[in-house]
Amino acid sequence: MKKKPKNRWLIALSAVGIHISIGSVYAWSNFTNPLIDQFGWTTSQVQLTFSIAILFLGLSAAFFGSFVEKYGPRKAGLVAALFFGTGIIGSGFAVSASSLPMLYVFYGALGGIGLGIGYIAPVSTLVKWFPDRRGLATGLAIMGFGFAAAISSPIMEKLITTVGVEQTFYTLGAAYLIIMVLSSLYLEKPQEGWSPAGFEEKVNSGKIERKTDLSQLTANEAVKTKRFYYLWVMLFINVTCGIAILSAAKPMAIDSIGMTTVQAAALVGVLGIFNGLGRLGWATISDYIGRPNTYTAFFVIQIALFAFLPFTTNAIFFQIMLAIIYTCYGGGFASIPAYIADIFGTKQLGAIHGYILTAWAAAGLAGPLFAAFMKDKTGSYESSLLFFAGLFIVALVISLVIRLDIRRLQTKNKEMAVSGNTEVVSD
């Protein structure tokens, strides 16, 4: 008896549940001052917790990508829930023990591992459930990660002021564990040969075209191709420049534009919404204009914005430009899984996505450090913005060069099809 397929929109909702939980890492700053006030730790000591978490996110995404492919999204999601939930609850024990090293281990290392596995676990599955709208599907999940801070921040703030930091970690850890476990239990891959209702009819009638992946590669095969490194560098540059702006937006608004501290803080919160909207919006747009055109658009737009931003003194223009930059930053994350599927196939999408996300880990260290270095050397962030505009020119060139590799393989696929060989090329 053929098993009735699950509702793919509930699969997407489950992915959102996981990403909203792990995305709360972007609200870490809510704990900074309370921990400093309670224990006398320095700002750099407390912020190192966040940096460790992002580092382990990238490393675990790379190392556990094959685990996700081998054991499927449900088991991977449950493992992510165990690591992340334990990490957050364990952070409460670290606070009760007044131990900074324990905080690094629980929130940074264990929580970071949960972040990495949880981030990639639902993505390859979503791509298979949405062959007609890959960008929309991955954008939905990763949008949850982008919006998580806006949802988590007020809850964290309320809990910290009412029950204290220790109890806040316990409460949030238990809540995230429950949400992630329930979300993971619904995840599963579609059955072989499954397609959405009406999809085959539309293909047969010519209303839509069935998109064929450029190749079907394993993760180990993918990392031996030039286009893997093209994608890696493009994501690295987009994230490096975006994270630098994330870390500098508030002081820039105050020092360069003259906004008050309250106004600048409100701006950062609003920009977080554009980060989330960009993830869904750009990923959806990529379904219509294609992933290569989407990434080229990111870089053309940001070359102009980063070049003009240092010379902008008007508060309205400044905020509009930052909002657009934030959409491109979020859109880069959301569009990359579909781009990977287009050019490497879905055979080991989770593993390849994990390898690509090491660019995020590297950028998380490089972006803020470079922006801070330039601020110390020159007294402002303006010079670093011009440097980032130059980096986007490099990314633009790469976004055009990768098309040559794509066209070469498309031509090879057509030649094989004409000769009667229906096998998708390995490279």
Side-chain angles (χ1 to χ4, degrees):
M1 183 177 176
K2 194 173 182 180
K3 182 181 176 183
K4 183 180 178 182
K6 290 187 174 181
N7 185 308
R8 64 176 181 161
W9 293 103
L10 290 180
I11 294 282
L13 183 62
S14 298
V16 172
I18 293 174
H19 273 239
I20 279 182
S21 298
I22 62 176
S24 62
V25 68
Y26 271 161
W28 168 255
S29 59
N30 286 279
F31 292 106
T32 303
N33 288 335
L35 288 171
I36 291 171
D37 294 340
Q38 187 169 340
F39 300 109
W41 297 332
T42 66
T43 302
S44 59
Q45 286 176 321
V46 175
Q47 285 302 105
L48 182 58
T49 311
F50 174 79
S51 298
I52 293 172
I54 296 299
L55 175 64
F56 272 86
L57 184 161
L59 294 175
S60 61
F63 284 110
F64 286 94
S66 298
F67 174 88
V68 173
E69 294 298 338
K70 182 176 181 180
Y71 294 101
R74 182 182 296 126
K75 289 183 179 179
L78 291 173
V79 170
L82 178 64
F83 272 99
F84 192 70
T86 300
I88 304 301
I89 293 171
S91 298
F93 289 111
V95 171
S96 68
S98 306
S99 174
L100 188 60
M102 281 180 64
L103 190 63
Y104 292 159
V105 170
F106 279 110
Y107 195 98
L110 295 183
I113 292 172
L115 276 168
I117 301 173
Y119 193 92
I120 63 174
V123 171
S124 59
T125 301
L126 277 177
V127 167
K128 292 167 185 172
W129 280 102
F130 288 82
D132 49 341
R133 285 180 270 186
R134 282 178 171 176
L136 170 65
T138 57
L140 278 170
I142 296 174
M143 175 193 68
F145 196 93
F147 276 136
I151 297 169
S152 300
S153 285
I155 297 173
M156 288 178 180
E157 198 68 38
K158 182 69 175 177
L159 285 171
I160 290 170
T161 55
T162 54
V163 300
V165 177
E166 180 184 342
Q167 292 299 322
T168 297
F169 279 127
Y170 293 146
T171 304
L172 291 176
Y176 294 145
L177 183 62
I178 292 169
I179 293 170
M180 292 178 71
V181 166
L182 292 177
S183 297
S184 299
L185 289 174
Y186 194 79
L187 290 177
E188 72 175 21
K189 295 178 183 178
Q191 291 181 324
E192 193 70 32
W194 176 89
S195 61
F199 179 70
E200 295 298 334
E201 289 81 355
K202 290 179 181 178
V203 170
N204 294 333
S205 65
K207 290 182 179 179
I208 61 173
E209 182 181 350
R210 189 191 304 275
K211 295 179 181 178
T212 304
D213 296 331
L214 193 63
S215 56
Q216 289 291 336
L217 303 186
T218 65
N220 288 337
E221 290 170 338
V223 298
K224 296 174 183 177
T225 66
K226 290 182 291 186
R227 58 190 183 279
F228 173 89
Y229 295 98
Y230 293 149
L231 285 186
W232 194 98
V233 174
M234 286 194 294
L235 184 65
F236 173 77
I237 291 175
N238 198 58
V239 177
T240 296
C241 303
I243 281 185
I245 284 290
L246 285 172
S247 65
K250 187 174 179 180
M252 279 178 60
I254 295 170
D255 300 337
S256 303
I257 305 300
M259 298 176 70
T260 66
T261 304
V262 174
Q263 289 172 332
L267 172 63
V268 171
V270 171
L271 290 175
I273 297 174
F274 282 93
N275 181 359
L277 291 175
R279 292 167 188 253
L280 180 60
W282 278 111
T284 304
I285 290 170
S286 76
D287 284 332
Y288 297 95
I289 69 173
R291 258 60 74 172
N293 288 335
T294 301
Y295 267 81
T296 298
F298 288 155
F299 304 138
V300 170
I301 290 169
Q302 290 182 98
I303 287 169
L305 293 179
F306 274 77
F308 283 114
L309 201 56
F311 308 103
T312 302
T313 55
N314 183 284
I316 299 298
F317 286 144
F318 175 79
Q319 293 173 77
I320 291 173
M321 292 165 78
L322 280 187
I324 296 172
I325 289 171
Y326 269 54
T327 67
C328 294
Y329 171 74
F333 281 117
S335 303
I336 202 72
Y339 206 161
I340 293 169
D342 291 346
I343 64 178
F344 294 120
T346 58
K347 183 188 291 186
Q348 289 193 349
L349 173 58
I352 300 170
H353 188 207
Y355 287 154
I356 291 284
L357 287 180
T358 56
W360 184 5
L365 295 174
L369 287 176
F370 181 79
F373 170 78
M374 294 299 288
K375 174 68 163 60
D376 291 339
K377 288 292 183 183
T378 65
S380 71
Y381 289 102
E382 279 73 8
S383 54
S384 64
L385 295 179
L386 294 175
F387 176 82
F388 290 140
L391 276 183
F392 278 124
I393 293 175
V394 175
L396 174 62
V397 171
I398 294 173
S399 77
L400 299 176
V401 170
I402 193 174
R403 295 167 186 255
L404 300 177
D405 204 36
I406 290 172
R407 286 171 188 164
R408 176 181 64 82
L409 287 174
Q410 286 174 335
T411 301
K412 191 173 181 180
N413 278 330
K414 288 178 182 178
E415 291 173 350
M416 292 176 68
V418 170
S419 66
N421 188 342
T422 58
E423 182 182 352
V424 179
V425 296
S426 60
D427 192 35

